[in-house]
Amino acid sequence: MNRPNARILVIGAGVNGSAVITKLVGAGLDAKVLARGKRHDEIKNEGIIIEDPFNHKRTITKVPVVNCLEADDIYEFILVIVRKNQIADLLPVLAQNKSPNIVFMGNNLSGPDEFAKVIDKKRIMLGTVVAGGKRDGDIIRAMVSTPMPSPFGEMDGSITPRLKRLVKILRSAGIKATTSTNMIDLQMTHAVGVAIVGKLTMKYNCDLHAFAQSTRDLELIVDARREAHQVLRALGHKVVPFSEDAIRFIPRFLQVAGMRALLNSKLGEVGLAYHVSQAPDEMNQLGNELRALVNQASIATPAIRKILEPG
């Protein structure tokens, strides 16, 4: 396959940043990762080490790494793959750089308008994560691809040439990317679920088996997600994809059974407990953003309030 000629910077060398940069470099693309401190030195000296938590196979990939972004260092795409609570400190750096396309990939409940206050709105694109797991020292223990395609899109929902090009580049590297006309709503729908389940996972100190035994808290998840979707609709957002919107109609006992099965599985451990154990700061950030949306919507949300304000 002919590889698109593009210069790409990945900001963030955690689970998702590491997964993306190894795929891009492995595909022969001109890509670098930005990391700082100890992580920068680990990557420079050892490469990126990824271990599959299911079969324990390891790969080591040498990738170009930098520790800063200069104003005149221009990339076709900058992929921002950090926790939501870390983005604020990055915005001034991204604003002074002149790269045309900045793709914010990750959980976001407050929408991209806060980014547009600092960065030219025309430069902003949106995406979702492509991996799940944790960083254990210098080793990334993660599943580095998702079963479903990861959507990418524009703030206004249009399908632009640059969006098609981004998706083509990512696909050429083996990343299951697809275009979306509802990226803001997709990010928000996903993030409300992360906020709710993440906060309860923290309550159990990431012991998912103990969590799974509490029918009351599993029912609370179902009720809180339904309330959160009502909040999104009240604020003019769509609940997407349909599989998320469908929880309005699926009986609570079936959702509880499905959640219990997930929590008791290796997939739940890798996709949920691994991340929450390392990102309580992001869970708290998302919880604060959800609380702000609830207050803005001014509708009854007893289940959400019980999760966000226990006791």
Side-chain angles (χ1 to χ4, degrees):
M1 176 183 291
N2 293 326
R3 304 299 183 191
N5 183 19
R7 190 166 189 254
I8 302 170
L9 177 68
V10 174
I11 297 182
V15 170
N16 276 277
S18 295
V20 170
I21 188 62
T22 54
K23 287 180 178 291
L24 294 175
V25 171
L29 293 169
D30 181 4
K32 297 178 181 178
V33 64
L34 189 155
R36 295 191 174 98
K38 182 180 178 181
R39 185 61 178 151
H40 171 274
D41 295 340
E42 288 173 348
I43 295 173
K44 183 176 181 180
N45 297 328
E46 305 172 20
I48 291 180
I49 306 169
I50 298 180
E51 180 179 291
D52 188 314
F54 295 93
N55 59 26
H56 304 293
K57 292 182 178 179
R58 287 188 183 183
T59 60
I60 301 176
T61 307
K62 298 292 289 186
V63 304
V65 58
V66 296
N67 60 11
C68 64
L69 175 62
E70 301 293 348
D72 58 353
D73 196 5
I74 308 302
Y75 297 86
E76 182 174 355
F77 292 100
I78 295 179
L79 309 182
V80 181
I81 316 179
V82 300
R83 299 174 192 170
K84 177 60 188 301
N85 54 293
Q86 297 173 331
I87 290 179
D89 291 339
L90 278 175
L91 292 178
V93 176
L94 294 169
Q96 57 87 34
N97 180 268
K98 303 305 180 184
S99 298
N101 307 307
I102 303 174
V103 189
F104 290 92
M105 299 168 58
N107 295 311
N108 188 357
L109 251 177
S110 56
D113 285 345
E114 61 184 306
F115 307 156
K117 293 178 181 178
V118 182
I119 298 171
D120 184 352
K121 186 176 183 179
K122 295 178 181 179
R123 302 171 64 199
I124 296 174
M125 302 177 73
L126 305 172
T128 54
V129 297
V130 301
K134 65 178 179 179
R135 184 159 68 90
D136 188 2
D138 60 349
I139 300 173
I140 301 291
R141 304 187 192 279
M143 48 184 181
V144 295
S145 63
T146 56
M148 301 298 293
S150 298
F152 290 80
E154 301 281 3
M155 285 181 62
D156 64 2
S158 60
I159 303 298
T160 59
R162 70 171 180 175
L163 175 58
K164 293 179 180 179
R165 176 163 168 76
L166 173 63
V167 167
K168 180 180 179 181
I169 290 169
L170 296 176
R171 286 178 177 173
S172 76
I175 296 171
K176 298 176 183 177
T178 187
T179 59
S180 171
T181 58
N182 290 300
M183 272 310 303
I184 294 176
D185 293 337
L186 270 168
Q187 284 190 331
M188 295 183 74
T189 301
H190 177 72
V192 294
V194 174
I196 289 165
V197 179
K199 291 293 284 186
L200 278 174
T201 300
M202 290 170 63
K203 171 185 172 181
Y204 287 90
N205 295 316
C206 297
D207 183 345
L208 297 190
H209 295 297
F211 187 177
Q213 293 176 15
S214 174
T215 299
R216 178 177 297 180
D217 279 341
L218 295 181
E219 291 176 344
L220 193 61
I221 286 177
V222 177
D223 295 343
R225 288 180 67 204
R226 286 173 170 171
E227 290 174 1
H229 291 177
Q230 290 175 348
V231 167
L232 293 180
R233 294 187 193 96
L235 296 176
H237 296 286
K238 296 179 181 179
V239 177
V240 285
F242 175 75
S243 58
E244 288 289 322
D245 193 30
I247 71 170
R248 284 190 288 174
F249 314 110
I250 300 173
R252 187 167 70 169
F253 78 92
L254 289 178
Q255 294 187 58
V256 166
M259 192 68 198
R260 178 173 283 123
L262 175 63
L263 294 177
N264 282 320
S265 69
K266 183 68 174 180
L267 179 62
E269 179 186 11
V270 174
L272 177 59
Y274 277 13
H275 177 65
V276 173
S277 68
Q278 294 195 333
D281 50 347
E282 184 179 37
M283 296 304 107
N284 289 328
Q285 172 78 25
L286 293 176
N288 291 337
E289 292 179 3
L290 177 55
R291 185 181 292 106
L293 293 180
V294 166
N295 293 336
Q296 184 180 351
S298 298
I299 62 177
T301 55
I304 292 177
R305 293 188 183 278
K306 187 172 183 179
I307 292 172
L308 297 183
E309 301 166 7

